Amino acid sequence: RAYATAMLVWQHVESALFSTFFSLYNYEEEPKIGSRNLKRLGAVFYSQETFSAKLKIVDALAKVTLAPELLTEWKKLKKQMERAYAHRNVLAHFTAVATNTESTALDLAMAPPMFVPEEIRRKRDRLFDAAGCEKLINDFGMIAGLLDEFSQLKVARGRAT
């Protein structure tokens, strides 16, 4: 359950990143929320298949849009997202392994695939059990909230000044 919840909460991070993209695109004017404009922006944003590609688009827009103090804040938030994305990838691409074979309960953890070479495994060796997934749920939720705040309050405030 914690694994599924963590993946669902990650979707909120991606949606909040789109909101930030939308806010940055409309930075110097009142937002154009019409369905035609949203379709166009959605086409650009969602044509990128990976989160890192979407983040690059938003980062490029932030660099040419934001004042230095907001850009500094954006860079900190971007680093948090990059770390969280690495954890999300563990959940999405690692293998579920039983952690307690003596129990009748289903105790699973996420671990690197068995045949990954040791040099690569050392870089990726994160093990997430239910407690680890619960932590990621909180981390992902916090990042989604920070992104929402950034796009709705700070970017909008910057536009108003």
Side-chain angles (χ1 to χ4, degrees):
R1 176 176 289 174
Y3 167 82
T5 304
M7 293 305 282
L8 288 171
V9 174
W10 180 258
Q11 292 176 3
H12 292 289
V13 173
E14 295 221 16
S15 293
L17 186 62
F18 177 76
S19 294
T20 302
F21 176 68
F22 179 82
S23 293
L24 289 168
Y25 180 80
N26 289 297
Y27 187 71
E28 293 180 358
E29 52 194 65
E30 286 304 309
K32 296 175 185 146
I33 302 179
S35 62
R36 189 172 175 194
N37 193 44
L38 283 173
K39 278 186 178 180
R40 288 178 177 164
L41 291 174
V44 172
F45 185 82
Y46 289 107
S47 68
Q48 305 306 304
E49 293 183 11
T50 66
F51 181 79
S52 60
K54 292 171 186 166
L55 187 56
K56 275 185 181 178
I57 290 173
V58 178
D59 186 50
L61 193 53
K63 286 176 181 174
V64 299
T65 304
L66 296 175
E69 63 279 355
L70 279 179
L71 188 57
T72 299
E73 192 169 336
W74 164 253
K75 287 177 183 177
K76 290 177 190 173
L77 187 53
K78 180 180 172 239
K79 284 183 182 183
Q80 287 181 298
M81 284 185 283
E82 289 168 337
R83 282 191 300 274
Y85 181 56
H87 291 156
R88 176 261 176 213
N89 281 345
V90 170
L91 296 181
H93 301 292
F94 276 33
T95 302
V97 295
T99 57
N100 183 356
T101 57
E102 303 298 317
S103 171
T104 57
L106 185 59
D107 296 327
L108 298 176
M110 305 307 293
M114 188 165 57
F115 299 107
V116 171
E118 187 59 33
E119 313 78 65
I120 295 172
R121 180 181 286 232
R122 267 186 251 119
K123 291 180 186 174
R124 298 182 183 170
D125 200 16
R126 295 182 195 98
L127 190 67
F128 289 115
D129 57 8
C133 286
E134 291 290 340
K135 182 180 179 335
L136 292 181
I137 291 166
N138 292 331
D139 292 350
F140 295 169
M142 179 198 66
I143 289 170
L146 290 172
L147 269 172
D148 279 337
E149 178 186 331
F150 187 82
S151 66
Q152 293 174 11
L153 299 175
K154 301 209 169 153
V155 173
R157 191 178 316 127
R159 181 175 43 244
T161 57

